[in-house]
Amino acid sequence: MAPSVVRMTPFRIEIPQADLDDLRDRLVRARWPRQLPGDGWSRGVPVDYLRDLAEHWATKYDWREHEARLNEFPQFMTELDGLAVHFLHVRSPAPDALPLLLTHGWPNSFVEFRDLIGLLTDPDEGQPFHVVVPSVPGFAFSEAPASGFGVERVARMWASLMDRLGYDRYGTQGGDLGAYVAPEVAKVAPEHVVGVHIDGGFGFPTAADVPGMDEAERAEWAQMQQWMSGGVDHHALLRAAPQTMAYSWNDSPVGLLAWLTHKFKEFAFMAETPDQVIDRDLMLTNASVYWFTGTAGSSSWPMYERLTLAADGGFAWPKGQRQVPSGVYGGGSPLMRRLAERDNTIVHWPEGNPGNHFVAMEQPRAHAADIRAFFGKLALGQ
């Protein structure tokens, strides 16, 4: 299929020096609160931890180095559904590589895949891919959406983008927010998507599933409820008052860093601190993209548009689709597999893969290997 005749403008990240100077000035002049009573992270991000991270951001972190590294990826801007959208398009040296559409999560950005892209495009690593990484509207350099925006609209935009790039058959992949988008692309363009791979999320039970559970499954459900009840419910917070929170995120880099660090800590649930499992400079590159683009508020649209809200008011996990085969990086219990298969044709359900929530940042090599394992099964007809 020939690419559509639509303008795609080459793009480079070029943050003005004045913006870097302003960031450092704000970090140096931050007003720090007193540490509240409580152990560890029980009251939120500890002051000493965040001060050390902010000092690193101000005095040791080199944005220009990381900006140059991001600019090694070919980047473009195009218009999709009336919005200016930023995306990376990194072709493999192997001309017959399978195109792969990656969708990032929240509160992340295209930075999530920085260390994964090269592993996927390199034919020496195994099955190669041509990689496409769009920035979700409202994130990074993509224009923010108006009200009434949803995942199906993102999926249609992504399908249109792949058509413009000349890709007739391709895979989709994502975690977190991307786990909602990836199967939706298959729903809107099943004749073009060969398979859907997500980091996790298929098969998590809800209260509506409890009546059909046996005793052991009910015990498992109780344990899940206990785990899910911890932390800050950002879904409820950002449904209720995203504009209120956006003032501090947009005006104070320390306020933004505290919020992102808190969420990354909760998502790195098997680590004492998030930088034990994710490179500190990679976390700060993601924070810097949010800061320089002023998108901490606009990126919260999936919550205030109630993307993850079920009909009963509870949390809604991605359900998937049956049009094409699906696989996950992190499988789960027999209960989760059973529930996942209600709405998906599961062909890949591994156990024991390493990592927490943002596995592309934590375990890029294992993540790449699992993506290859899934799409390899499809190629072999398994």
Side-chain angles (χ1 to χ4, degrees):
M1 178 184 295
S4 302
V5 183
V6 178
R7 182 169 181 171
M8 295 188 179
T9 306
F11 178 83
R12 283 182 61 82
I13 306 170
E14 296 177 330
I15 302 302
Q17 185 59 42
D19 290 358
L20 271 68
D21 295 340
D22 175 68
L23 169 60
R24 293 192 181 98
D25 181 62
R26 289 171 184 260
L27 288 168
V28 169
R29 293 188 300 105
R31 292 183 63 200
W32 291 95
R34 298 182 182 89
Q35 177 63 55
L36 300 177
D39 297 329
W41 293 66
S42 63
R43 299 285 185 258
V45 185
V47 173
D48 288 346
Y49 180 85
L50 197 70
R51 287 193 77 150
D52 181 65
L53 190 58
E55 181 182 359
H56 183 86
W57 198 8
T59 64
K60 298 176 183 176
Y61 173 81
D62 185 349
W63 164 256
R64 292 301 184 203
E65 173 189 339
H66 295 281
E67 181 184 63
R69 185 168 178 183
L70 294 176
N71 280 330
E72 292 175 1
F73 300 124
Q75 298 172 65
F76 303 87
M77 297 293 297
T78 193
E79 183 178 306
L80 295 167
D81 197 10
L83 296 176
V85 172
H86 163 259
F87 68 97
L88 281 60
H89 182 202
V90 188
R91 287 184 60 84
S92 170
D96 60 347
L98 176 69
L100 181 63
L101 175 65
L102 302 177
T103 303
H104 62 79
W106 175 98
N108 226 316
S109 65
F110 69 98
V111 172
E112 179 178 350
F113 302 118
R114 186 197 70 181
D115 297 336
L116 179 69
I117 293 171
L119 294 170
L120 291 175
T121 57
D122 186 355
D124 291 336
E125 293 285 337
Q127 176 188 359
F129 299 90
H130 300 312
V131 176
V132 180
V133 184
S135 291
V136 174
F139 292 72
F141 301 100
S142 287
E143 186 178 353
S147 61
F149 202 76
V151 159
E152 181 182 356
R153 189 166 168 185
V154 176
R156 293 190 182 278
M157 293 167 71
W158 283 189
S160 177
L161 174 62
M162 297 302 279
D163 175 60
R164 291 182 189 180
L165 293 171
Y167 294 137
D168 184 58
R169 297 286 284 166
Y170 53 88
T172 66
Q173 201 284 328
D176 193 86
L177 174 59
Y180 294 83
V181 176
E184 199 69 27
V185 178
K187 291 181 185 178
V188 303
E191 69 278 19
H192 299 296
V193 176
V194 301
V196 174
H197 181 278
I198 69 169
D199 295 347
F202 290 155
F204 273 90
T206 67
D209 299 312
V210 174
M213 294 181 187
D214 60 28
E215 184 176 351
E217 291 174 341
R218 286 174 184 266
E220 182 180 344
W221 161 252
Q223 290 182 332
M224 288 184 180
Q225 287 295 100
Q226 185 176 9
W227 167 68
M228 291 179 60
S229 65
V232 173
D233 187 350
H234 57 273
H235 296 271
L237 187 154
L238 294 177
R239 280 197 297 269
Q243 188 68 62
T244 300
M245 306 303 295
Y247 293 108
S248 65
W249 296 331
N250 205 62
D251 188 61
S252 168
V254 167
L256 173 64
L257 185 63
W259 173 242
L260 295 177
T261 301
H262 188 103
K263 296 314 302 181
F264 269 70
K265 166 63 172 72
E266 290 182 349
F267 289 147
F269 43 86
M270 292 187 289
E272 292 185 7
T273 62
D275 56 350
Q276 286 183 345
V277 291
I278 300 175
D279 178 71
R280 175 177 278 203
D281 277 6
L282 185 57
M283 290 172 53
L284 290 174
T285 299
N286 184 62
S288 296
V289 167
Y290 271 88
W291 175 258
F292 291 132
T293 60
T295 50
S298 61
S299 67
S300 63
W301 70 260
M303 275 63 78
Y304 63 73
E305 293 287 1
R306 299 173 178 268
L307 165 67
T308 56
L309 194 64
D312 62 1
F315 182 75
W317 296 95
K319 288 188 176 180
Q321 47 70 50
R322 285 198 174 277
Q323 286 89 333
V324 305
S326 296
V328 299
Y329 174 85
S333 67
L335 166 63
M336 295 175 62
R337 175 82 186 246
R338 174 171 66 80
L339 297 178
E341 289 180 337
R342 291 184 308 187
D343 302 299
N344 302 273
T345 302
I346 300 294
V347 300
H348 184 69
W349 190 267
E351 297 180 11
N353 274 337
N356 294 279
H357 189 68
F358 288 125
V359 293
M361 301 176 88
E362 292 186 28
Q363 301 284 344
R365 189 165 294 278
H367 196 217
D370 195 75
I371 292 171
R372 282 194 170 92
F374 168 67
F375 285 103
K377 291 178 179 178
L378 303 187
L380 293 172
Q382 297 180 357

